[in-house]
Amino acid sequence: MRKQGIALTLIILLIVPLSVHAGAPLDSVKGNINKVLDVLRDPALKGESGKKTKRQKIRSISDKMFDYSELSRRTLGQDWKKLNPAQQNEFTDLYKSLLEDAYADKIINYTDEKVAFSKENQLSEKTFEVQTTILTKKADIPIYYRVIQKDGEWKVYDVVIEGVSLINNYRNQFREILMNKSPEVLLDTLKKKVGKA
Amino acid sequence: MKLIIMVCAILTCLSLSFSQVVAASTGDVLEKSLTQTEEGEKPLITDQAKPDAAKAEESKYVAPVNNAGEEEGEEETVKIADPLRPWNNAMYHFNDKFYFWILKPVAQGYSKAVPEDMRLSVSNFFSNLAMPIRFVSNLLQLKIKNAGNELLRFVYNTTAGVGGLADAAKLDFGIKQHDEDIGQALGSYGIGHGFYLVWPFLGPSSLRDTIGRIGDGFLNPVSYVTPWESAAGIKVYDRVNETTFHIGDYEDLKKSAIDPYVSLRDAYVQYRKKKVEETDASAEVESQSSIQPVGQPEPAQPLMTKLEPDQQPLNNPEPVKQSGTAPEPLQQSTEQTESVKQPGTFFKHAETFFKLPEPGQKQVVPKPLEKKELLKSTIPNNYHATKPVHVQIGVFKERSNAEDFKEKYKKKGYDTFTLECPTKQPGAIYRVLIGIFSNKKEAARQAYEIRSKEKIDAIIYHE
């Protein structure tokens, strides 16, 4: 019965993103988050030894879940043009590993919090915001995923935690650097940060 | 296999109809903003123009001009002046050291000595005590209903919640705390931050929020404790207690940031902005729900998943529990039904005492809201994030039965949908639920109506 349920969910997940209509963004985010939850819950991966595998698995899910080039482009906003195509590629890669390093550990250490998927809001023709809440004993933390449709799939390009948008937050940091310094300096700073982390 | 395909088809149809609801509801809000204010027109047009341009440019690797413009638009709303940066920077470093050298070790020691539930009670106690801040701040924003709720919460939590140790009002009636402070009230009048200001020990603030904080101080009963050393001691204790719930947050921010100072400053401004706007959103939801008491046509399909502990300190005696929320199958807990019965009496009294605004009166409220329409135009409509509350009218073991039941009541005009819930045993149960309600109170009212009108069991379902 349970296996059937899983098969069913998988089939639904396969079908729904193909059909281009609302309702899909929420399902897409839900599907990806549930995949992450499955990894976190996997009894075979308990303890320190499983952490590395967990991290790898979560990374491969996040690769599919996020659109890092969209995320990078939106983060830099108007500064994106200051970088040449090669630098843009490098930036995307470095930024991606920065985010992975920063958030992978946090996710892995989640304990018994619950995730509620409440609804989706249309932001523009191609973008939606899927609203979720992490319920902890102390408080409910709203986490909104902003998704954009790319090739019939919904990809995350921003995460808004308690009203704080990830890409807005980084944009202000990168802008301070790019204001008086060249893109190379930005890339070097990123390299250092990623290397250190 | 055929069955699976059929179910898939049904589900796809369902999500299709959901999409129409989404389109309808978002369209409504857009139309509203168009007719309400002239400012509303601007974002609407740009919103529609943008995606097309973006679509055309997307194939290229270079950033679309329009998209960059969009980013600019977002930026305007999160900027803050920082003329006192040298001072702020110094204070940032001071607070950083203060946190790592003093506050964090103390909080860690304290949290080892005191169990979490007790710390939560302490947190509730101080929160209850600080009611005047929220009461006055709600009043200042003409949020009469919220202010009334705060008063109600205070009375109930102080008595039934044993001096405020338990948030009984939330647990029993779903009356949530309305986190407001004077800084937010000022913000709701359209007063900007002024500039960024970091205070030693207290952390990030702004000119506006500093003034707000002074106001909060006057409204906080703890400030009137004499001698002042005791008042300060109590406040420090409150701070340490609160910190125990946030250990790791600042460390995460520092770890992920390129420039922690800028990151923290931006996070503060974005967070406060949301707090100020949230009041609008909840006002909007309230006025919407008063027009449509049966429940908003929200396309939400709440689904809960439980995260299992990564490394449990003890072996879970029930490993099967992992499958999900594990709701009590086919049984309606007495606690839930009780809360349905209560509102009939309790809330009727509450309403007469606090004169909850009637739909007609609510028209008065939007006045302060219009001001922020400008600010709001850049954020998505409906920013509220409350726990979804539904009314449950039936639970079934078979999906098809649940679907039939759902259809039956849909025809009667209820906003029904089914929710699959995994059980402790392999398999699932199917709940037939109605609508999303912005709070438990409304859900309770609806449940009460259904029970008396349809003669079926209807209880509140949340989470």
Side-chain angles (χ1 to χ4, degrees), chain B residues 180-239:
Chain B
E180 298 288 342
D181 53 49
I182 301 294
Q184 283 178 59
L186 295 174
S188 80
Y189 297 150
I191 298 169
H193 278 295
F195 52 83
Y196 187 56
L197 198 50
V198 183
W199 289 108
F201 304 111
L202 300 176
S205 189
S206 67
L207 183 60
R208 179 193 80 197
D209 290 344
T210 300
I211 293 166
R213 213 170 168 137
I214 295 168
D216 293 345
F218 281 111
L219 291 167
N220 192 346
V222 176
S223 310
Y224 297 96
V225 173
T226 48
W228 70 270
E229 289 93 341
S230 315
I234 294 168
K235 282 187 176 172
V236 167
Y237 174 61
D238 181 19
R239 172 79 182 273

Side-chain angles (χ1 to χ4, degrees), chain B residues 269-288:
Chain B
V269 178
Q270 283 198 56
Y271 178 72
R272 290 299 289 181
K273 177 172 171 281
K274 186 210 169 198
K275 279 280 184 193
V276 169
E277 277 161 3
E278 205 174 42
T279 47
D280 295 350
S282 60
E284 216 169 71
V285 169
E286 267 163 30
S287 56
Q288 269 176 15

